[in-house]
Amino acid sequence: MQSKYKVGLLRLNLVLAALLPALMAPASTNVTEALLLWMAAGWLAVSAALVEFSHRRPALVPWQLLPSLLLTALLFTAPERFPLWLWAWGALVMLPQPAWMSGLNLLLATLSWGGLARAMPPEQAAFAGAVLAALLLLGLSRSRDLAPLRGVARQRAHLAPGLRLWPRAQLSRDLTRERARVHRDGVHGELLLLRTGRPRFWSQAQRLCALTRSFEHCYRLDGHTLAALLLSPDAEQAERRRADLLAQLGPIQRLRATPLARVVSLAEECRALERQTGAADVNKGAGHG
């Protein structure tokens, strides 16, 4: 399987969006306003550069929090210049975010509207509040509708761009398919579990993906456990290949290799890895059945 990251259009939109505050900043007469605009331009530009977040640069909560704080600060600093930016709250609440972040955005949107409403006639303030409330409800509703799709996408996506490393949930699904393939083609398949230290985890994950074939999949089970589904013509060649792979992979803390025909469940194999006393446990048995 291959995952194609279609980020070009999103990156272009973010760069174009960054140009707007960057062009507005030099015309600002207020130093605070200019600083906020430059910060907004910088946030959008850096976001464009980091669209493909890797395992070393996850989408941290402070990174989500920054645009909300910048928007609030701009609406309070220069409400007469940025009244239309009030409607941006409808888009911000639509972004993937924890529940507390959604609540904070609703609070900041209400405070922003309150700051602008003081300079409006009562009827205009009420109308603006009603429109803002409708946009927030639409944004929250859309975010809720998209949440299951985002969850499925995260389960099916590579954990890092360009790396054939899949989440634990994908391995649970792939075990059934690979067992059927082993039985159908009469080859030897095995589940390889590797326990490594956290500081070396990602370097060994990259090496494991490089050492396995393109049609074999590697997985991250937790912060210190890797897995791979290996296919070989027979058990003897599988053993030689495993030894070569481990020699190139470097030192690991614990290893467990089990023919797919003998794998009862992923959970059971993980428990066995935890219980084993030796550094390596290689189960012998039929490679297909």
Side-chain angles (χ1 to χ4, degrees):
M1 288 180 285
Q2 289 186 341
S3 179
K4 299 184 181 299
Y5 290 81
K6 300 177 181 179
V7 298
L9 183 58
L10 176 58
R11 181 176 284 121
L12 176 61
N13 288 335
L14 288 170
V15 170
L16 292 176
L19 289 176
L20 176 61
L23 293 173
M24 295 176 67
S28 300
T29 56
N30 185 296
V31 176
T32 303
E33 177 188 330
L35 178 62
L36 291 170
L37 287 170
W38 280 122
M39 289 177 65
W43 182 86
L44 288 165
V46 174
S47 295
L50 298 177
V51 168
E52 294 187 37
F53 290 110
S54 72
H55 55 271
R56 300 186 186 278
R57 175 61 182 83
L60 299 174
V61 168
W63 197 249
Q64 294 177 315
L65 187 59
L66 187 58
S68 300
L69 296 178
L70 285 174
L71 180 57
T72 304
L74 275 172
L75 290 173
F76 272 96
T77 301
E80 70 286 349
R81 289 198 62 195
F82 306 105
L84 294 180
W85 288 34
L86 181 67
W87 315 129
W89 286 112
L92 285 178
V93 298
M94 199 184 303
L95 297 174
Q97 56 197 269
W100 70 265
M101 185 71 196
S102 297
L104 179 61
N105 277 333
L106 291 177
L107 175 61
L108 292 176
T110 303
L111 293 175
S112 300
W113 168 79
L116 291 173
R118 289 197 296 268
M120 298 180 185
E123 62 277 5
Q124 289 185 14
F127 179 74
V131 173
L132 178 61
L135 288 175
L136 292 173
L137 287 174
L138 287 173
L140 289 172
S141 175
R142 183 60 175 164
S143 179
R144 185 174 180 180
D145 291 341
L146 292 175
L149 297 177
R150 294 188 189 110
V152 172
R154 280 194 297 270
Q155 289 181 354
R156 297 181 63 86
H158 289 181
L159 292 176
L163 196 64
R164 290 185 297 106
L165 192 66
W166 303 88
R168 181 184 182 120
Q170 185 64 41
L171 175 55
S172 298
R173 293 189 290 268
D174 288 352
L175 277 172
T176 302
R177 184 195 66 218
E178 293 303 317
R179 270 195 294 256
R181 177 192 295 187
V182 164
H183 180 76
R184 181 185 67 244
D185 298 343
V187 297
H188 179 93
E190 69 180 24
L191 171 64
L192 182 66
L193 301 182
L194 301 169
R195 173 64 56 84
T196 183
R198 289 183 185 274
R200 296 173 53 83
F201 179 86
W202 285 105
S203 62
Q204 291 199 313
Q206 291 173 323
R207 198 172 295 120
L208 179 64
C209 290
L211 293 172
T212 51
R213 302 183 180 105
S214 60
F215 56 84
E216 296 172 325
H217 303 310
C218 304
Y219 308 86
R220 176 189 183 274
L221 303 189
D222 54 43
H224 48 263
T225 308
L226 293 164
L229 292 176
L230 305 180
L231 298 175
S232 302
D234 53 51
E236 184 178 348
Q237 293 189 49
E239 188 170 356
R240 288 200 299 267
R241 183 175 174 228
R242 188 191 325 115
D244 292 341
L245 185 150
L246 293 174
Q248 298 179 67
L249 190 61
I252 58 170
Q253 296 177 359
R254 203 175 298 174
L255 170 148
R256 179 175 177 81
T258 308
L260 291 182
R262 298 184 60 185
V263 174
V264 177
S265 69
L266 177 59
E268 180 59 35
E269 290 299 310
C270 290
R271 284 194 291 268
L273 179 70
E274 294 290 343
R275 291 193 302 262
Q276 74 182 45
T277 54
D281 186 353
V282 179
N283 293 308
K284 303 294 184 179
H288 57 85

